[in-house]
């Protein structure tokens, strides 16, 4: 060939490196696509945005991790000392140009990710402000959260040790199963009666701690009908793991019908697995250490269920 | 932690625990004063800062973090003890306190605490890769300075642990950017280690295997760390098993493996006996496979939404949990060859020469184990940087006289 590269750059090495980088890029892209399958179903407007960001980070992470691992593997295979070779290697002490390169490139990459993530955060915020915090009113500190002072469309979420109670002040309904209308933006008012709890619905990709002494407004829009889990995500004591509830997303018609029917139901004990487990434990021969006593099951119109199969 | 006291006794478990935290906080602050003073004041003659081994740099960095961070945790623990025992209301909303304040005190120290653990392990990697690659540490000055960039940044990232808590949007964004920046000095170190082993003459001894495995796990933890730093992803996976998986890759995958590397590397110096290579390699293999089998499944669990700190879980999480448990058993088993190796080597291992790995460093100019007052009156003067592998240059003045003394001994 007339335009062969100078002998210092070996053509097979360049081609080999290019092939390896190409393969790594392909692998990274594939992992980015796989990442969507590691997450629960997407059931809110936030979910596709969060998943897109996670997929992007998975692809980028695969490239970095794969690249470093490949270099390590290459060195382990190719640059091992021969048996009985006691000699030292060529003493390369460093290279300022390389140091600049591997400082600037990661800096640009992580700042790029952060800007992307901040934009996603803003979009989540425009879907509905992620949070609005104000101090609880003195009247609320007395222990009651009078529903008539809430905007009718808000749903009040009361977290306790250890049960979840959902109040629909407009419809005068309370429940231990959260019902939402699909594609309808909803605002929650999150309050805790004791310690910090976490309001976490994995299918929605959203989470907000519920802080005693504060009322936190929290917005989201469900996008897929189904039955999902709400889990307490902030350790709250002995029966923390049992502090779960079901979230039912249904069509607007079904939802409004549910509200209407529920309003006529008499108040009854809601779901509290913690109370059940506490009673079971008391019957044991040696019930163990004293624990915080679970709050009695909230009196609600609809207990609902938390044993039916759920989508996520 | 909480201020609930179900026993109702004045002396109770939480109170004892908080007293212990406060006491160990005070003792660790004193320990940090000791380390920092020793490194600043008691270096060998000629050992300027840029002739110091990286392990000393990272120990200095880690202990500086202790000095700055621990007072916040210690004070926070004392305040919680007061709330619990004497009815103050630092954190009690009814009395005008705020429980989120405790989270700030806790994480202001407890994020840097991870760097307190991992920085000396970075030091171990920086010491050992040159020995077993027979090359100088790549970019010594950059690696040294990066430790202190990590200290500075490590102090302003704590809110990333409480993104879903009661914190404002601007804080989420600020702490996301500061957390991302930490990747840069950390990356400088990782690339420096790759540069060190590149074109080296690798010896895959037990300590080297633990270093390579630790580096592999650490890079994986770095990738998931970037994911956790981005607010929208963190909102989903915070307080789930994803976080548990991430920090076990840091703490077990990187830090514990680095510490094992250090134990095997300095065992002959400590005890005067050589550890067995065969058992060491079995230990490495079981640890590496066990750690990955234990901690990798935690990531899918977290992504699926399994909260951490639970005593039971929904059936859909069983598959990955069973895999993780198998890995945990394997990790338990991995300790057997390790203990066997340490005990039997110490009792009846081959006698160790002064410098079995042909390493450069002051400790390797002493017999194994060193005498009580190591160099006594005859303290060497350091004349070079610590990793002169392949240069043929001496580390200290009259190095031959020290080597000769060792041979005669």
């Amino acid at each position: 060939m007339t335009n062969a590269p100078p002998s210092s750059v070996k053509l097979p090495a360049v081609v080999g490196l290019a092939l390896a980088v190409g393969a790594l890029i392909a692998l990274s892209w594939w992992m980015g696509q796989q990442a969507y399958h590691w997450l629960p179903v997407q059931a809110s407007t936030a979910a596709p945005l969060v998943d897109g960001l996670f997929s992007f980070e998975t692809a980028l992470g695969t490239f970095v991790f794969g690249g470093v691992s490949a270099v390590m593997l290459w060195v382990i295979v190719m640059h091992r000392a021969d048996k009985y070779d006691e000699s030292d290697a060529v003493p390369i002490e460093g290279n300022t140009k390389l140091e600049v390169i591997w400082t600037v490139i990661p800096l640009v990459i992580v700042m790029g990710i952060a800007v992307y993530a901040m934009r996603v955060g803003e979009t989540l915020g425009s879907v509905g402000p992620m949070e609005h915090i104000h101090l609880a009113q003195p009247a609320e500190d007395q222990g009651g959260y009078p529903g008539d002072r809430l905007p009718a469309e808000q749903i009040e979420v009361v977290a306790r040790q250890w049960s979840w109670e959902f109040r629909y002040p407009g419809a005068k309904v309370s429940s231990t199963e959260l019902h939402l209308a699909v594609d309808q933006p909803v605002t929650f008012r999150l309050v805790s009666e004791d310690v910090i709890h976490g309001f976490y619905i994995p299918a929605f990709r959203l989470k907000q701690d519920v802080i005693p002494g504060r009322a936190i407004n929290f917005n989201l829009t469900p996008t897929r009908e189904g039955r999902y889990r709400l889990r307490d995500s902030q350790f709250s004591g002995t029966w923390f793991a049992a502090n779960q509830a079901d979230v039912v997303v249904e069509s607007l018609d079904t939802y409004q019908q549910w509200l209407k029917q529920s309003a006529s139901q008499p108040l009854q004990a809601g779901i509290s697995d913690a109370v059940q487990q506490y009673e079971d434990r008391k019957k044991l021969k040696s019930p163990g250490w004293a624990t915080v006593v679970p709050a009695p099951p909230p009196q609600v119109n609809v207990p609902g269920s938390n044993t039916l199969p759920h989508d996520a | 932690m909480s201020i609930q006291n179900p026993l109702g006794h004045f002396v109770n478990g939480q109170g004892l625990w908080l007293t212990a935290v406060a006491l160990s906080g005070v003792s660790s602050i004193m320990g940090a004063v000791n380390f920092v003073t020793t490194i600043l004041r008691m270096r060998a003659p000629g050992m300027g800062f840029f002739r110091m081994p990286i392990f000393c740099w990272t120990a200095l960095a880690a202990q500086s973090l202790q000095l700055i961070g621990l007072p916040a945790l210690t004070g926070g623990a004392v305040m919680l003890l007061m709330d619990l025992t004497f009815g103050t209301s630092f954190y009690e909303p009814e009395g005008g306190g705020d429980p989120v304040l405790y989270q700030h005190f806790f994480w202001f120290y407890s994020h840097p605490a991870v760097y307190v653990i991992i920085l000396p392990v970075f030091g171990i990697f920086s010491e050992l890769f040159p020995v077993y690659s027979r090359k100088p540490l790549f970019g010594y000055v950059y690696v040294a300075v990066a430790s202190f960039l990590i200290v500075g940044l490590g102090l302003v990232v704590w809110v990333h642990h409480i993104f879903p808590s009661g914190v404002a949007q601007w804080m989420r964004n600020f702490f996301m950017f500061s957390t991302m920046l930490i990747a840069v000095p950390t990356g400088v170190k990782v690339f420096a280690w790759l540069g060190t082993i590149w074109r080296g003459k690798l010896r895959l001894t037990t300590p080297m295997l633990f270093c390579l495995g630790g580096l592999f796990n650490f890079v994986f933890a770095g990738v998931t760390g970037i994911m956790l730093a981005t607010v929208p992803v963190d909102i989903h996976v915070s307080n789930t098993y994803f976080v548990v998986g991430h920090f076990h890759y840091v703490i077990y995958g990187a830090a514990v493996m680095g510490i094992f590397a250090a134990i095997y590397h300095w065992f002959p110096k400590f005890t005067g006996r050589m550890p067995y290579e065969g058992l060491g390699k079995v230990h490495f293999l079981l640890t590496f496979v066990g750690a990955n089998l234990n901690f990798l499944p935690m990531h899918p669990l977290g992504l699926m939404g399994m909260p951490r700190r639970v005593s039971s879980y929904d059936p859909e999480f069983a598959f990955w949990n069973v895999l993780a448990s198998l890995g945990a058993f394997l990790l338990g088993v991995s300790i057997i060859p390790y203990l066997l190796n340490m005990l039997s080597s110490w009792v009846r291992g081959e006698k160790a020469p002064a410098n079995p790995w042909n390493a450069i460093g002051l400790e390797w100019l002493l017999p194994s184990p060193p005498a009580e007052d190591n160099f006594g009156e005859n303290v060497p003067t350091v004349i070079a940087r610590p990793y002169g592998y392949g240069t043929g240059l001496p580390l200290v003045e009259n190095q031959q006289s020290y080597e000769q003394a060792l041979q005669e001994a």
Side-chain angles (χ1 to χ4, degrees):
Chain A
M1 278 214 279
T2 49
N3 54 354
S7 58
S8 62
V9 182
K10 293 178 197 122
L11 187 62
V14 173
V15 173
L17 187 65
L19 282 177
V21 171
L24 187 54
I25 290 174
L27 176 72
S28 305
W29 183 84
W30 182 78
M31 284 288 279
Q33 296 308 305
Q34 291 304 303
Y36 288 101
H37 304 297
W38 307 336
L39 293 152
V41 288
Q42 300 178 341
S44 84
T45 49
L49 296 168
V50 174
D51 294 6
L53 178 59
F54 178 72
S55 160
F56 170 70
E57 290 187 322
T58 303
L60 208 60
T62 306
F63 187 79
V64 172
F65 181 66
V68 170
S69 306
V71 170
M72 285 173 71
L73 193 67
W74 177 268
V75 171
I76 289 170
V77 173
M78 304 299 287
H79 299 163
R80 256 193 346 257
D82 293 331
K83 220 172 180 181
Y84 309 119
D85 179 0
E86 297 284 310
S87 66
D88 291 339
V90 180
I92 312 162
E93 303 230 358
N95 181 328
T96 308
K97 208 188 278 176
L98 269 179
E99 297 284 351
V100 172
I101 289 173
W102 66 42
T103 304
V104 172
I105 291 180
L107 181 68
V108 170
I109 290 176
V110 293
M111 288 299 102
I113 299 173
V115 169
Y116 174 20
M118 201 173 77
R119 290 212 177 130
V120 170
E122 279 167 12
T123 317
L124 293 181
S126 71
V127 169
M130 286 285 282
E131 49 164 334
H132 170 73
I133 299 170
H134 63 87
L135 291 174
Q137 301 300 313
E140 294 163 354
D141 290 340
Q142 310 299 319
Y145 296 91
D148 54 13
R149 288 198 292 101
L150 287 169
E153 70 275 18
Q154 267 194 355
I155 300 174
E156 190 178 45
V157 178
V158 184
R160 290 192 188 89
Q161 287 172 312
W162 289 266
S163 59
W164 294 95
E165 183 185 348
F166 311 102
R167 296 177 184 162
Y168 301 75
K172 298 196 163 40
V173 168
S174 60
S175 168
T176 41
E177 183 179 82
L178 178 60
H179 280 243
L180 301 172
V182 71
D183 295 329
Q184 301 296 311
V186 57
T187 303
F188 297 100
R189 184 173 180 275
L190 309 175
V191 292
S192 162
E193 289 195 346
D194 34 55
V195 298
I196 301 181
H197 296 273
F199 179 79
Y200 176 37
I201 302 160
F204 292 172
R205 310 288 188 279
L206 290 172
K207 179 185 287 142
Q208 173 63 50
D209 284 5
V210 191
I211 316 278
R214 297 190 199 182
I216 298 176
N217 287 356
F218 189 68
N219 296 352
L220 61 86
T221 308
T223 53
R224 181 183 180 278
E225 290 182 35
R227 183 174 277 272
Y228 310 104
R229 281 307 242 184
L230 183 165
R231 298 194 177 91
D232 190 351
S233 58
Q234 188 65 276
F235 182 73
S236 56
T238 315
W239 281 281
F240 162 66
N243 201 17
Q244 307 196 10
D246 269 13
V247 181
V248 178
V249 179
E250 54 207 358
S251 71
L252 188 57
D253 283 349
T254 319
Y255 170 70
Q256 279 167 344
Q257 216 168 356
W258 178 81
L259 279 182
K260 219 158 94 185
Q261 277 176 357
S262 304
S264 59
Q265 300 283 322
L267 288 179
Q268 51 191 303
I271 294 174
S272 171
D273 285 351
V275 168
Q276 190 57 46
Q277 293 181 17
Y278 180 78
E279 295 301 328
D280 291 348
R281 185 167 176 266
K282 270 208 303 207
K283 288 179 205 142
L284 295 176
K285 255 191 197 143
S286 53
W289 294 98
T291 71
V292 172
V293 181
Q299 292 294 310
V300 293
N301 302 102
V302 190
S305 157
N306 66 355
T307 50
L308 291 170
H310 47 264
D311 298 325
Chain B
M1 280 308 297
S2 86
I3 44 183
Q4 292 174 322
N5 178 8
L7 269 180
H9 298 166
F10 182 75
V11 175
N12 57 68
Q14 296 212 89
L16 289 175
W17 184 82
L18 283 166
T19 312
V21 169
L23 284 177
S24 38
V26 172
S27 86
S28 297
I29 292 170
M30 291 173 170
V33 171
N34 193 348
F35 273 108
V36 170
T37 319
T38 305
I39 294 172
L40 291 183
R41 303 287 302 166
M42 296 185 72
R43 279 165 288 136
M47 187 180 274
F49 283 109
F50 286 103
R51 283 184 190 162
M52 236 170 30
I54 294 291
F55 185 76
C56 296
W57 270 96
T58 53
L60 184 63
Q63 297 303 321
S64 311
L65 274 177
Q66 294 277 76
L67 277 183
I68 303 166
L70 268 169
L73 178 81
T74 311
V78 171
M79 285 183 251
L80 190 52
L81 186 63
M82 302 273 282
D83 274 12
L84 180 73
T85 313
F86 302 112
T88 55
S89 50
F90 291 104
Y91 309 120
E92 182 121 52
E94 281 81 359
D98 185 354
V100 178
L101 182 62
Y102 178 74
Q103 296 185 325
H104 283 287
F105 284 135
F106 182 84
W107 287 114
F108 181 78
Y109 170 69
S110 298
H111 185 79
V114 180
Y115 292 103
V116 173
I117 297 167
I118 199 72
L119 273 167
V121 174
F122 290 169
I124 292 166
F125 289 161
S126 305
E127 297 295 316
L128 268 53
F129 280 128
V131 178
Y132 299 104
S133 307
R134 312 311 303 168
K135 267 184 67 196
L137 179 65
F138 195 96
Y140 164 80
V141 173
Y142 298 97
V143 175
V145 171
S147 309
F148 274 86
L149 289 178
I150 291 175
V151 168
L153 288 169
L155 285 165
V156 287
V157 298
W158 79 92
V159 171
H160 69 217
H161 290 270
I162 51 175
F163 279 153
S165 194
V167 296
Q169 191 66 34
W170 73 264
M171 282 177 108
R172 290 176 170 177
N173 286 333
F174 177 87
F175 284 92
M176 170 167 67
F177 275 92
S178 63
T179 306
M180 288 288 179
L181 282 178
I182 277 215
V184 176
T186 314
V188 164
K189 292 198 175 210
V190 169
F191 294 129
W193 299 324
L194 291 180
T196 305
I197 60 174
W198 184 254
R199 288 179 190 240
K201 292 196 171 181
L202 261 65
R203 271 131 223 212
L204 296 183
T205 57
T206 306
M208 183 59 159
L209 288 174
F210 271 107
C211 282
L212 290 167
L215 176 56
F216 177 86
N217 289 337
F218 181 72
V219 174
F220 185 80
V223 168
T224 55
I226 291 289
M227 292 170 172
L228 284 165
T230 43
V231 175
V233 173
D234 182 77
I235 293 290
H236 174 52
V237 293
S238 70
N239 278 324
T240 71
Y241 259 69
F242 193 87
V243 178
V244 182
H246 162 76
F247 84 68
H248 277 86
Y249 263 86
V250 179
I251 298 301
Y252 205 101
V256 172
M257 292 204 32
I259 291 166
F260 279 135
I263 290 175
Y264 282 99
H265 178 72
W266 277 290
F267 185 88
K269 187 51 67 186
F270 293 152
T271 64
R273 304 278 183 166
M274 295 300 288
Y276 297 116
E277 271 298 293
L279 276 175
K281 283 178 176 155
V282 171
H283 174 212
F284 163 74
L285 197 69
L286 291 176
T287 308
F288 186 73
V289 176
N292 280 285
L293 187 58
N294 194 168
F295 306 130
L296 191 67
M298 293 177 173
H299 296 84
L301 284 172
L303 292 170
M304 289 161 73
M306 176 175 159
R308 65 192 288 198
R309 309 181 176 115
V310 287
S311 54
S312 60
Y313 49 77
D314 283 352
E316 67 256 36
F317 300 130
F319 172 74
W320 293 109
N321 270 296
V322 169
L323 279 190
S325 299
L326 290 176
F329 285 120
L330 201 56
L331 269 189
V333 170
S334 77
I335 294 298
I336 297 171
Y338 168 67
L339 289 180
L340 216 63
N341 196 353
M342 293 295 105
L343 287 174
S344 59
S345 304
W346 203 338
V347 174
R348 43 171 293 182
E350 199 186 319
K351 283 246 189 301
N355 191 358
W357 316 120
N358 200 10
I360 297 174
L362 290 180
E363 72 271 34
W364 305 108
L365 295 172
L366 291 162
S368 304
E372 196 167 309
D373 191 17
N374 55 49
F375 289 101
E377 296 300 305
N378 193 18
V379 180
T381 301
V382 177
I383 54 168
R385 287 207 173 146
Y387 310 108
Y389 297 94
T391 62
L393 299 172
L395 175 70
V396 299
E397 245 170 46
N398 306 320
Q399 183 153 323
Q400 273 170 337
S401 72
Y402 289 95
E403 283 162 357
Q404 212 156 4
L406 283 175
Q407 298 212 319
E408 284 159 12

